[in-house]
Amino acid sequence: MDLRNIAIIAHVDHGKTTLVDELLKQSGAFRENQAVAERAMDSNDIERERGITILAKCTSLEWAGKRINIVDTPGHADFGGEVERILSMVDGVVLLVDAAEGPMPQTKFVTAKALALGLRPIVVLNKVDKPDAEPDRALDEVFDLFANLGANDEQLDFPHMYASGRAGWADTTLEGPRKDLSALYDLIVAHVPEPKQIAHRSEPFRMLATTLSADPFIGRILTGRVEAGTLRAGETIKALSCTGDKIEQFRVSKILAFRGLSQSPIDVAEAGDIVTLAGMSKATVADTLCDVSVDVALPAQPIDPPTISVTFGINDSPLAGKDGSKVQSRVIRERLMKEAEINVAIKISDTPGGDAFEVAGRGELQMGVLIENMRREGFELSISRPRVLFREVDGQRMEPIEEVTIDVDDEYSGAVIEKLTGPRRGELAEMKPAGAGKTRIIAHVPSRGLIGYHGEFMTDTRGTGVLNRVFHDWAPHKGPIAGRRAGVLISMEAGAAVPYALWNLEERGHLFIGAQEPVYEGMIIGEHSRENDLEVNPLKGKKLSNVRASGTDEAVRLTTPVRMSLEQSIAYIDNDELVEVTPKAVRLRKRYLDPHERKRHAKSSGE
C-alpha cells in the first residue's frame, strides 16, 4: 500500500486535534456505532482538562488505497522536545491556522523546525465559518511568516485550503460545497511525497528511535520510522548510541503499527513505515535500532537546550505525609529519572545535599504538567521558584529572551507596554491594531522578567488579555529585575484557622486560605498590602465575656480567598519561598520554617 507520513502543526487551540477526529471519522477508521470521545487523540487526563496537546501521538487512516500516517503534535513550545523528534519521521506537514487569529507564536516555533528540515507545508485556514474570520489576512500573514523564517521558493509556493474542523469540511475555495474533507485527503496524497526510505528496502534494517513509552503487558517500547530494510517479528537486532557504541542486542518480541486510534501487531515492518518495537531493555530515544551487521548510527536531530530550572525536594513541612504515599527522596529521584528518559527536553541533576533535585526544562507549563502528574500519582513535593539558566559566550553572560505576543483591548495597551519595557526590561518589537478594538503587541522580554508576570497581566487587562510566549534568542544579561513587590502574611501558629482571626486579617491584604483550613508556623496564608512580610496569628479567637452588648455578636462574613493554581503558585513565590504540593493541596510556605532562620536569610531580589 502507498504511504504518506504527515504531521499536523498549529498554535494552541487552533483546532488540530478536532480536525484529526474528523479525518479519522470520514475515512472509515471507526465503526458506525463505535463510541469515540471528543478530541480522541488527547488521551491524557491533563490534556482533556486543559484542552491542549502535551504528548505527540501517531494515528493512521486509509484513503483511496493509500495509507496516511498522521502525527498530532503539541502546539506549546514548552513541549517542543516532542515536536523536534517527531518531525524527523514525516515527509510533509499540514499547518493549521485560525482564520481569525492568524499565525501565532507557537505556530512560528513548530513551523521554523519543519521548514528547516525541508518539509513542504500545506496551509489549512481553519474556523473560516466564525463571524470574525479574516482568511485573506491570515493567508498573507502565513506567507510573511514563511518568508521571515527563510523558506525556499518551493516551500513558499504552498497550497492552501479553507476549512471548519468542527463542521468537518475543507475546500480549495471559500465558496466551495462545504460537504466533507475529501479535498483535503486528495491534496495530502498529491502534495506529500512518498517516503524516500522506500528505495532502501533492500538494505540492512535501520530505524531511529523517536519516542519511548511503556506497555503494561509487553514492557519497554520504542517508536520511530524505518529508515532502511525490513524487519520481521522474532528477528535479532541491536541498538547503537548516537556515537556508534553498541548498547544491547535483543530479539524483537513484537512489531506494532498504528491503525486508527489503536496499535495492531504486524508481521513485517518495511522502510518508510512508522512502527513501534518491543523487546529491548536499555535502548532509548535517539538510539539507532539496526541489523547486527550495521556499525554506523543514524544522525539524531539536536534538541534545543533547557531555559529554566526548578528544584524538586522532599516535603518537610509539619503536614508532610498526611495526603501522599510517596514522600522519600529516593522514590522522587526514581520518578524524575524515569521522566527524563522519556522526555528528551528535561534534564535532571542531584543537588549537593542529596534530598533535592534540579529539574531543567523549557518553561513553567512543562514543569507544572510534570508536577501535576506526580501529585496525581501520590507524590508529595516542595518546589522552588523557577530560575533562568544562563550561558557564557566569549566571556559574556547570556540569558534567554522570549518573544511575547499579546492581544489586548486598546485601553489597556499602555499599562502592558509600561510593565514589559520598564521594570521587566523588555523591548517593543511591533504594535499594530488587531481589529474589534484590540491591539497586538509583540515584545522581546528576558525569560526571568516573565516569571510571575501572567497574574499581574491578567489584573492589568481585567482578565481580557491573551499572552503567548516562545523562545526567541540568547542576548547579553539585561541587569537586575525586581521580584515580587508585595510581601506576604506568614502564620506564626499551628492549628486550624479561625474565622474571627481571618476576618480581622482581611484589612492586611488578600488571604489564600479559608476558615478551618490547617496552617503551621512559617506557612504563607495571604499577600500583604505592603512590601514587607508580616507574621500574623490566624488562630486568635474572639475574647468572650459575660456581658452581651448590642451589635457585637454578628456572624463573621469572610471574603472568598484567592485560590491559585499550581502554575500560578510556582510563578508567585519569591526566592526564599517554596510551594508545598500534595495530592490534595497546594500550599505556599517560607523556605525556613523556624522564625530565627527566616530572619537570618533575608528575602533576595531578582538576579
Side-chain angles (χ1 to χ4, degrees):
M1 186 177 287
D2 286 349
L3 265 181
R4 298 291 185 275
N5 296 325
I6 64 163
I8 297 191
I9 57 179
H11 181 75
V12 177
D13 202 33
H14 277 204
K16 61 182 178 298
T17 308
T18 304
L19 181 68
V20 172
D21 278 2
E22 285 298 321
L23 285 168
L24 287 167
K25 284 177 187 172
Q26 294 189 25
S27 68
F30 306 139
R31 297 191 317 271
E32 285 292 328
N33 63 342
Q34 185 172 343
V36 180
E38 187 180 4
R39 299 198 321 275
M41 292 290 283
D42 284 347
S43 52
N44 184 303
D45 285 345
I46 297 180
E47 290 179 323
R48 289 191 169 282
E49 290 166 16
R50 302 188 183 210
I52 60 173
T53 302
I54 295 171
L55 302 172
K57 302 173 202 70
C58 300
T59 185
S60 79
L61 54 88
E62 291 182 24
W63 179 260
K66 294 176 174 57
R67 179 166 300 286
I68 302 174
N69 288 321
I70 300 175
V71 181
D72 185 19
T73 61
H76 201 285
D78 280 19
F79 311 109
E82 292 275 331
V83 174
E84 288 153 35
R85 291 272 188 236
I86 234 67
L87 288 178
S88 65
M89 297 200 308
V90 300
D91 305 293
V93 293
V94 174
L95 173 61
L96 202 66
V97 177
D98 188 308
E101 293 186 359
M104 297 290 281
Q106 316 301 349
T107 314
K108 180 178 178 181
F109 169 79
V110 189
T111 306
K113 300 289 181 187
L115 294 177
L117 289 169
L119 300 175
R120 294 171 57 208
I122 295 171
V123 174
V124 177
L125 300 165
N126 196 28
K127 305 183 184 181
V128 295
D129 50 354
K130 288 172 64 176
D132 58 344
E134 296 181 63
D136 293 336
R137 174 186 58 81
L139 187 61
D140 290 342
E141 290 178 358
V142 170
F143 185 88
D144 293 342
L145 173 64
F146 285 6
N148 293 336
L149 294 175
N152 58 38
D153 292 343
E154 193 177 27
Q155 290 170 328
L156 286 173
D157 188 22
F158 57 84
H160 66 276
M161 301 197 77
Y162 303 95
S164 171
R166 185 169 291 280
W169 60 264
D171 293 311
T172 52
T173 63
L174 268 174
E175 296 76 28
R178 301 193 175 192
K179 284 169 43 180
D180 54 29
L181 294 169
S182 56
L184 180 56
Y185 294 115
D186 294 337
L187 180 58
I188 290 170
V189 170
H191 185 74
V192 178
E194 273 193 325
K196 57 182 181 296
Q197 289 79 7
I198 291 176
H200 304 291
R201 285 185 175 172
S202 58
E203 298 177 11
F205 173 78
R206 295 195 304 276
M207 178 181 121
L208 184 68
T210 305
T211 59
L212 168 72
S213 54
D215 185 277
F217 301 105
I218 57 179
R220 190 186 189 92
I221 54 176
L222 285 167
T223 302
R225 179 168 64 176
V226 182
E227 296 294 324
T230 58
L231 179 69
R232 294 182 179 276
E235 288 185 3
T236 298
I237 60 173
K238 66 180 180 181
L240 300 177
S241 67
C242 53
T243 57
D245 299 324
K246 181 179 175 181
I247 298 171
E248 64 172 327
Q249 189 165 311
F250 62 94
R251 176 181 167 273
V252 178
S253 59
K254 229 165 202 183
I255 304 174
L256 302 171
F258 294 93
R259 299 292 182 261
L261 295 177
S262 60
Q263 286 184 291
S264 306
I266 58 173
D267 296 327
V268 182
E270 298 180 310
D273 289 341
I274 296 176
V275 294
T276 300
L277 305 184
M280 71 290 298
S281 58
K282 297 177 184 175
T284 186
V285 171
D287 290 343
T288 300
L289 308 180
C290 57
D291 188 85
V292 290
S293 63
V294 176
D295 295 320
V296 180
L298 293 166
Q301 185 73 16
I303 299 296
D304 286 346
T307 56
I308 71 160
S309 172
V310 172
T311 302
F312 283 50
I314 58 171
N315 182 16
D316 55 358
S317 83
L319 299 178
K322 295 194 174 182
D323 294 344
S325 56
K326 300 171 183 175
V327 295
Q328 307 94 332
S329 60
R330 171 184 56 83
V331 180
I332 294 171
R333 186 180 189 278
E334 286 175 4
R335 174 65 177 83
L336 290 174
M337 290 303 175
K338 180 182 172 186
E339 182 70 24
E341 194 172 8
I342 296 172
N343 191 337
V344 293
I346 281 182
K347 301 285 182 284
I348 313 291
S349 57
D350 295 332
T351 56
D355 282 346
F357 312 96
E358 290 288 334
V359 182
R362 291 286 181 81
E364 294 163 56
L365 180 60
Q366 184 189 29
M367 293 297 165
V369 168
L370 171 59
I371 296 164
E372 183 64 38
N373 278 323
M374 290 181 69
R375 72 184 287 218
R376 293 184 184 199
E377 294 165 17
F379 285 88
E380 290 197 9
L381 306 161
S382 60
I383 309 296
S384 75
R385 176 180 169 85
R387 293 179 304 284
V388 170
L389 300 176
F390 299 98
R391 277 182 178 180
E392 289 287 333
V393 178
D394 299 329
Q396 189 174 26
R397 196 183 197 195
M398 308 289 280
E399 67 173 322
I401 304 293
E402 299 195 35
E403 182 176 281
V404 183
T405 301
I406 293 172
D407 287 313
V408 64
D409 290 344
D410 296 341
E411 58 191 292
Y412 305 128
S413 59
V416 171
I417 293 171
E418 183 184 350
K419 289 277 177 72
L420 288 178
T421 58
R424 299 183 182 274
R425 301 193 179 264
E427 296 176 1
L428 186 64
E430 188 179 347
M431 180 178 173
K432 60 184 180 183
K438 289 187 175 291
T439 301
R440 176 164 291 183
I441 300 166
I442 299 176
H444 298 147
V445 188
S447 294
R448 58 200 172 96
L450 292 172
I451 294 175
Y453 173 62
H454 194 264
E456 199 175 324
F457 168 75
M458 295 307 286
T459 302
D460 290 343
T461 62
R462 306 295 188 270
T464 61
V466 178
L467 183 150
N468 291 287
R469 46 194 279 196
V470 66
F471 175 77
H472 175 64
D473 201 359
W474 294 85
H477 192 266
K478 300 279 187 182
I481 293 176
R484 187 186 66 223
R485 289 189 177 182
V488 290
L489 303 176
I490 307 165
S491 172
M492 58 195 299
E493 298 288 344
V498 175
Y500 181 78
L502 297 181
W503 181 62
N504 283 319
L505 290 175
E506 284 185 351
E507 62 187 27
R508 297 287 188 180
H510 303 294
L511 295 179
F512 299 155
I513 63 167
Q516 298 304 313
E517 288 189 31
V519 298
Y520 52 81
E521 191 173 1
M523 178 175 160
I524 296 171
I525 64 167
E527 180 179 85
H528 194 198
S529 56
R530 299 172 186 255
E531 293 187 11
N532 63 302
D533 294 345
L534 183 68
E535 295 203 0
V536 296
N537 184 0
L539 273 60
K540 187 177 181 181
K542 183 181 179 182
K543 293 284 185 277
L544 301 177
S545 71
N546 58 356
V547 178
R548 295 184 62 129
S550 172
T552 58
D553 293 325
E554 295 103 342
V556 171
R557 291 181 177 86
L558 294 176
T559 305
T560 304
V562 176
R563 302 289 187 186
M564 289 192 285
S565 67
L566 180 59
E567 283 89 4
Q568 288 171 331
S569 300
I570 294 169
Y572 178 83
I573 57 173
D574 222 319
N575 294 335
D576 62 339
E577 298 161 3
L578 297 171
V579 178
E580 176 189 350
V581 180
T582 74
K584 296 182 181 177
V586 176
R587 305 183 186 95
L588 308 184
R589 46 163 281 202
K590 282 292 180 179
R591 186 182 293 271
Y592 306 99
L593 297 178
D594 183 82
H596 302 294
E597 283 289 312
R598 288 204 297 275
K599 288 173 184 173
R600 200 174 302 144
H601 298 269
K603 184 167 73 171
S604 55
S605 62
E607 293 179 66

